[in-house]
Amino acid sequence: MELKVYVDRLSQPSRAIVIFCKVNKIDFEEVGIELLKGQHLTPEFKQINPMGKVPAILVDGKFKLFESHAILIFLASACPGVAEHWYPADPYRRAEIHSILDWHHSNLRRGSTEFIQNTLLAPFFGRPLNPQAAAEAEKVLSSSLSKIEALWLKESGQFLQGSSQPSIADLCLVCEIMQLEFLGETDRNRILGPFKKIQRWIEDTKNATNPYFDEVHQSLFAAKAKLQMPS
Amino acid sequence: MELKVYVDRLSQPSRAIVIFCKVNKIDFEEVGIELLKGQHLTPEFKQINPMGKVPAILVDGKFKLFESHAILIFLASACPGVAEHWYPADPYRRAEIHSILDWHHSNLRRGSTEFIQNTLLAPFFGRPLNPQAAAEAEKVLSSSLSKIEALWLKESGQFLQGSSQPSIADLCLVCEIMQLEFLGETDRNRILGPFKKIQRWIEDTKNATNPYFDEVHQSLFAAKAKLQMPS
């Protein structure tokens, strides 16, 4: 399978896909699409993903797919050698992973994206910051983190649903939370500080996917420094 | 498999699941959870779905699952006799269905839900209407309808991706759009009027799943009359 992966490592779902491919030794070509330069909106990229968003993939020069969860499920299913724990065949375990990933869209992802946009990134995309929207997003974000701790992080295992090895849901959600590294320390500590199980889970997911996790997240820290955001 | 399905037929994802079960002759018990009476927020229901949302299912008295897309995928995979076209085994077709369903969350669903909430339903849940939020939601909704027509409704087939038979993605998205029946005629015509392919697709999905589609949607029309909304 010839695989092109269109990503910007500053985007959390893009990072999840690059880490997944590297950890699972999937042969792929990474095509950088720089969001801050508007490269996702070019006619050329819209030939790959008409929605104008990263990540997207092109398989064997003809099959195009967007939406990161769908991409991860496809790669876990179609690429030989991906370990079972990433996307278990058991219909019950698989259903729980789908449920967490579906929940992600309108909860953790929505809270995280809107908070970061409205406290920090909006001006880089020509929009004003919106403190009221940021305050509402923080509520969604904190409530989402609280639900992850209460429902899915158990004492019995390091990963979601008490598993001893990560699934694609761990990778997607942890990459989402890592986006908070864009924030200044005060905001980040206020939001993440109360969630000790989440902090441990991030470390466990990092350890399970290193050296790739750290390598792929370097872009985030480099961009933060370049954009002169407060640490 | 003993299946309990917790739904409110006024909720669009609930309707998709009830229609799916009936069309596929899946044996199930429907448990009504009335949103307008706050039954989704009771401690009893939160034992089934701690998120306090419908739909949710309980399988064999012990396996609990929420999020409608995850539920449909589970039922299509675990129940014998569900026709292949609902959730094809082919990894490429399946990936496209996942992609559409993932896209649904932050686009069509978000636009539809927020428009209806902010023009009509919010007071029934103790919140004020918000015309500015409604205007923004209408943009998301119209853009989503436009993308469905441009990308997924082709001349070659009646259903998404040019298929000749519906998938779970057709059912989810059409049930979402049917929620616009809550609106007055002026709003509904302004929003749906320009989209002829969408209108035909709704009819085709209805015909492919009747008499259950009409039967399950009766609750929507009855509630609209009862809530004394303009026709």
Side-chain angles (χ1 to χ4, degrees), chain A residues 36-54:
Chain A
L36 287 169
K37 291 186 181 165
Q39 292 176 349
H40 55 305
L41 302 173
T42 61
E44 292 74 22
F45 182 63
K46 286 195 173 175
Q47 289 291 314
I48 302 298
N49 180 5
M51 300 299 178
K53 292 192 172 177
V54 289

Side-chain angles (χ1 to χ4, degrees), chain B residues 18-38:
Chain B
V18 175
I19 294 167
F20 182 83
C21 288
K22 286 178 177 266
V23 168
N24 288 292
K25 314 288 182 215
I26 295 169
D27 194 21
F28 72 107
E29 178 190 342
E30 182 174 343
V31 183
I33 300 294
E34 288 193 53
L35 299 175
L36 286 169
K37 291 185 182 166

Side-chain angles (χ1 to χ4, degrees), chain A residues 74-144:
Chain A
F74 174 77
L75 294 176
S77 309
C79 296
V82 173
E84 162 83 4
H85 63 82
W86 288 107
Y87 187 56
D90 173 72
Y92 294 88
R93 283 276 295 129
R94 185 168 280 197
E96 288 177 323
I97 289 171
H98 290 157
S99 173
I100 294 171
L101 289 173
D102 282 327
W103 172 88
H104 179 206
H105 285 284
S106 304
N107 295 280
L108 179 66
R109 175 156 187 75
R110 184 168 181 173
S112 142
T113 306
E114 294 190 358
F115 184 77
I116 294 168
Q117 282 291 323
N118 286 302
T119 49
L120 201 69
L121 291 183
F124 295 100
F125 294 96
R127 296 190 295 271
L129 296 178
N130 182 336
Q132 193 192 333
E136 282 166 24
E138 186 171 339
K139 281 186 211 160
V140 176
L141 179 51
S142 293
S143 161
S144 299

Side-chain angles (χ1 to χ4, degrees), chain A residues 157-198:
Chain A
Q158 293 167 292
F159 300 102
L160 294 169
Q161 306 160 278
S163 298
S164 59
Q165 289 177 298
S167 77
I168 54 173
D170 292 276
L171 190 55
C172 288
L173 271 58
V174 166
C175 283
E176 187 71 54
I177 298 170
M178 283 300 290
Q179 202 73 349
L180 301 179
E181 293 290 336
F182 257 132
L183 302 174
E185 208 171 337
T186 311
D187 277 348
R188 203 167 61 247
N189 286 349
R190 186 185 65 252
I191 293 170
L192 275 181
F195 299 107
K196 304 300 179 205
K197 284 204 264 181
I198 298 252

Side-chain angles (χ1 to χ4, degrees), chain A residues 1 50-51 53 59-60 63-70 73-74 77-78 87 91-96 98-99 101-103 105-107 110 114 147 151-152, chain B residues 1 50-51 53 59-60 63-70 73-74 77-78 87 91-96 98-99 101-103 105-107 110 114 147 151-152:
Chain A
M1 188 168 88
M51 300 299 178
K53 292 192 172 177
V59 180
D60 293 332
F63 179 70
K64 301 164 189 171
L65 189 65
F66 57 86
E67 287 288 342
S68 62
H69 301 168
I73 290 172
F74 174 77
S77 309
Y87 187 56
Y92 294 88
R93 283 276 295 129
R94 185 168 280 197
E96 288 177 323
H98 290 157
S99 173
L101 289 173
D102 282 327
W103 172 88
H105 285 284
S106 304
N107 295 280
R110 184 168 181 173
E114 294 190 358
K147 288 210 164 69
L151 298 179
W152 294 315
Chain B
M1 189 168 88
M51 300 299 178
K53 293 191 172 177
V59 180
D60 293 332
F63 180 69
K64 302 164 188 171
L65 188 67
F66 58 87
E67 286 289 342
S68 62
H69 301 167
I73 290 172
F74 174 77
S77 308
Y87 187 56
Y92 294 89
R93 283 277 294 128
R94 186 168 279 197
E96 289 177 322
H98 290 157
S99 173
L101 289 174
D102 282 327
W103 171 87
H105 286 284
S106 305
N107 295 280
R110 183 167 182 175
E114 294 190 358
K147 288 210 164 68
L151 298 179
W152 294 315

